[in-house]
């Protein structure tokens, strides 16, 4: 962490995914090793397929339908997760502090499908809702493909450290289960051809591609001193974050091993942590053959031989690959892991691949966790990494 900068902590977590409508639902599904993929029936994909779907979704609770009708599905999911994170943090925004609060959301595929009656940008959707949430600080969206959610969290933390704002709602949202997005992934050869519940199998010998999922996760980030003054529950501290970008390559993320490795290395350096101090790593887990081999290479270069002793897990086997929301969903899970001292397992890992020599967690286990790393990558060369650390007791 840069000298003299403010410290940023996570005091609220909100999420909606195929695992259920809340962040605790997500966490329980991960600990139970429950796969939440279902047969895709929202449109006709041309072949049997599964996806991480949010079934029977009626929009954010308590928000008038006249308002949500103006939002695309991804914007609704973002708003839903943001409301949850604010409620979980038990923080109140009013006219006196509204300008000290910001909202940043990452998305890879925009807020609305072609022809959907939603506002054209996710930032518009969330910014419109900030009137009701008493958020008057910076509110915008970022698009960095699969790294979008982590980039949004990183930028929000940077604004807090720079004293532009004191609190931020930040994360990612994605609703990629529509013909245009599906067709693009299919044409690029990135999607799994399997139709079973365990089709999303990153690092497994039998993996053959991604299974798409929808969802959103938002963190309530807060300047640490403020959080301690109001007696907030602190899940974790955001100690380091970094992003890099490289060539698009063949589209299977990460696309450039050394450039992706630098994102993780820079995040470690900002957090003043060595690779040996990382107790748990949330991999992106895209599930493509080339992509998972490259992610393994990234981790081996960043951690050296220590990667063999570092527990590695992923949320994508349970939820599907949620593109711009994937990193934010992983960050939400990492916050729970540090707060509760639990390591969630990889839900579909059965047959180790010699080309992916990682210490993949296969059963939930209780442990004292101090540092968790989260990685995310985009198909066009974007990379992002976060370092979350367990909350330290304040000095007497």
């Amino acid at each position: 962490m840069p000298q003299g900068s403010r410290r940023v902590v996570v005091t609220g977590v909100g999420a909606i995914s195929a695992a259920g409508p809340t962040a605790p639902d997500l966490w329980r599904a991960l600990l139970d090793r429950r796969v939440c993929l279902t047969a895709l029936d929202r449109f006709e994909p041309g072949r049997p397929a599964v996806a991480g779907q949010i079934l029977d979704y009626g929009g954010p609770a308590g928000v008038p339908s006249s308002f949500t009708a103006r939002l695309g599905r991804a914007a609704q999911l973002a708003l839903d997760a943001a409301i949850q994170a604010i409620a979980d943090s038990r923080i109140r925004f009013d006219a006196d502090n509204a300008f000290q609060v910001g909202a940043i959301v990452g998305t890879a595929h925009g807020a609305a499908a072609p022809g959907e009656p939603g506002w054209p940008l996710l930032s518009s959707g969330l910014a419109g809702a900030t009137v009701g949430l008493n958020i008057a600080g910076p509110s915008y969206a970022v698009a960095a493909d699969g790294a979008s959610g982590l980039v949004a969290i990183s930028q929000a933390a940077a604004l807090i450290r720079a004293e532009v704002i004191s609190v931020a709602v930040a994360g990612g949202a994605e609703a990629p289960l529509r013909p245009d997005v599906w067709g693009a992934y299919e044409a690029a050869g990135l999607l799994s051809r399997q139709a079973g519940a365990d089709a999303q199998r990153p690092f497994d010998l039998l993996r053959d591609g991604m299974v798409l999922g929808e969802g959103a996760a938002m963190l309530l980030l807060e300047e640490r001193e403020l959080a301690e003054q109001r007696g907030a529950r602190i899940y974790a501290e955001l100690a380091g974050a970094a992003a890099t970008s490289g060539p698009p390559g063949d589209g299977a993320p990460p696309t450039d091993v050394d450039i992706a490795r630098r994102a993780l290395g820079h995040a470690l350096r900002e957090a003043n942590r060595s690779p040996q101090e990382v107790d748990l790593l949330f991999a992106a887990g895209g599930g493509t053959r080339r992509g998972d081999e490259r992610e393994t290479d990234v981790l081996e270069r960043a951690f050296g031989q220590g990667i063999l002793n570092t527990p590695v897990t992923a949320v994508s086997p349970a939820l599907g690959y949620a593109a711009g929301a994937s990193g934010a969903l992983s960050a939400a899970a990492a916050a729970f892991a540090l707060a509760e001292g639990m390591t969630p397992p990889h839900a579909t890992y059965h047959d180790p691949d010699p080309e992916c020599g990682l210490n993949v967690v296969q059963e939930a286990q209780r442990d004292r966790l101090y540092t968790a790393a989260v990685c995310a990558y985009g198909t066009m060369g974007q990379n992002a990494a976060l370092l979350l650390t367990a909350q330290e007791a304040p000095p007497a």
Side-chain angles (χ1 to χ4, degrees), residues 8-391:
V8 179
V9 294
V10 179
T11 59
V13 180
I16 177 169
S17 68
T22 70
D25 291 326
L26 162 65
W27 181 237
R28 283 192 294 269
L30 294 178
L31 290 181
D32 293 343
R33 206 177 181 188
R34 177 160 55 91
V35 177
C36 305
L37 308 182
T38 54
L40 181 60
D41 56 7
R42 189 168 302 170
F43 60 92
E44 190 63 46
R47 61 177 176 84
V50 293
Q53 302 175 90
I54 300 171
L55 303 174
D56 303 319
Y57 183 57
V63 179
S65 58
S66 58
F67 179 81
T68 57
R70 304 167 67 186
L71 306 180
R73 188 174 178 89
Q76 291 188 36
L77 298 177
L79 176 58
D80 198 326
I83 293 171
Q84 290 182 44
I86 294 169
D88 184 41
S89 180
R90 298 184 180 181
I91 194 169
R92 297 188 65 176
F93 305 147
D94 53 35
D96 293 330
N97 62 22
F99 289 94
Q100 283 295 306
V101 186
I104 307 176
V105 185
T107 184
H109 302 297
E116 188 178 38
W119 291 349
L121 295 176
L122 182 61
S123 58
S124 300
L126 191 60
T130 59
V131 175
L133 298 178
N134 284 317
I135 296 176
S139 177
Y140 58 90
V142 298
D145 203 83
S148 298
L150 288 194
V151 171
I153 295 170
S154 175
Q155 289 192 8
L159 289 174
I160 294 173
R161 287 178 179 142
E163 302 186 26
V164 175
I165 53 178
S166 297
V167 180
V169 185
E174 205 70 73
L177 303 180
R178 60 197 212 207
D180 59 323
V181 176
W182 178 278
Y185 279 83
E186 183 94 319
L190 298 176
L191 295 185
S192 172
R193 307 298 295 182
Q194 302 176 42
D198 60 350
Q200 177 74 10
R201 304 178 70 170
F203 310 115
D204 188 277
L205 183 64
L206 301 183
R207 72 189 184 280
D208 72 335
M210 299 175 174
V211 172
L212 294 180
E214 62 182 345
M218 301 290 279
L219 305 182
L220 195 294
L221 303 179
E222 193 170 347
E223 195 273 320
R224 179 177 169 173
E225 185 175 348
L226 172 63
E228 291 175 345
Q229 285 176 351
R230 68 182 190 86
R233 173 195 177 179
I234 296 177
Y235 285 87
E237 181 170 348
L238 201 163
T244 60
S245 60
D250 58 9
T255 61
D256 186 284
V257 169
D258 188 60
I259 293 174
R261 190 268 308 168
R262 288 176 182 270
L264 184 53
H266 293 167
L268 283 164
R269 185 159 54 250
E270 183 178 72
N272 196 28
R273 292 292 193 280
S274 69
Q276 291 72 33
E277 293 177 276
V278 175
D279 303 304
L280 178 61
L281 193 146
F282 283 82
T288 65
R289 296 210 66 82
R290 294 187 302 273
D292 285 358
E293 289 175 5
R294 283 199 286 261
E295 182 166 21
T296 300
D297 197 359
V298 169
L299 300 179
E300 288 175 343
R301 294 191 188 197
F303 285 77
Q305 287 297 313
I307 192 60
L308 298 175
N309 300 316
T310 304
V312 175
T313 189
V315 304
S316 63
L319 309 178
Y321 178 71
S326 60
L329 288 163
S330 295
F336 275 105
L338 290 168
E340 299 192 6
M342 290 293 296
T343 297
H346 180 309
T348 60
Y349 188 76
H350 306 295
D351 301 293
D353 183 351
E355 299 299 321
C356 299
L358 300 173
N359 181 18
V360 177
V361 181
Q362 298 185 59
E363 298 293 337
Q365 55 195 44
R366 182 167 294 280
D367 200 357
R368 184 66 176 97
L369 304 175
Y370 293 94
T371 303
V374 182
C375 300
Y377 318 98
T379 59
M380 299 303 291
Q382 306 94 329
N383 315 286
L386 289 183
L387 261 291
L388 295 173
T389 58
Q391 165 68 355

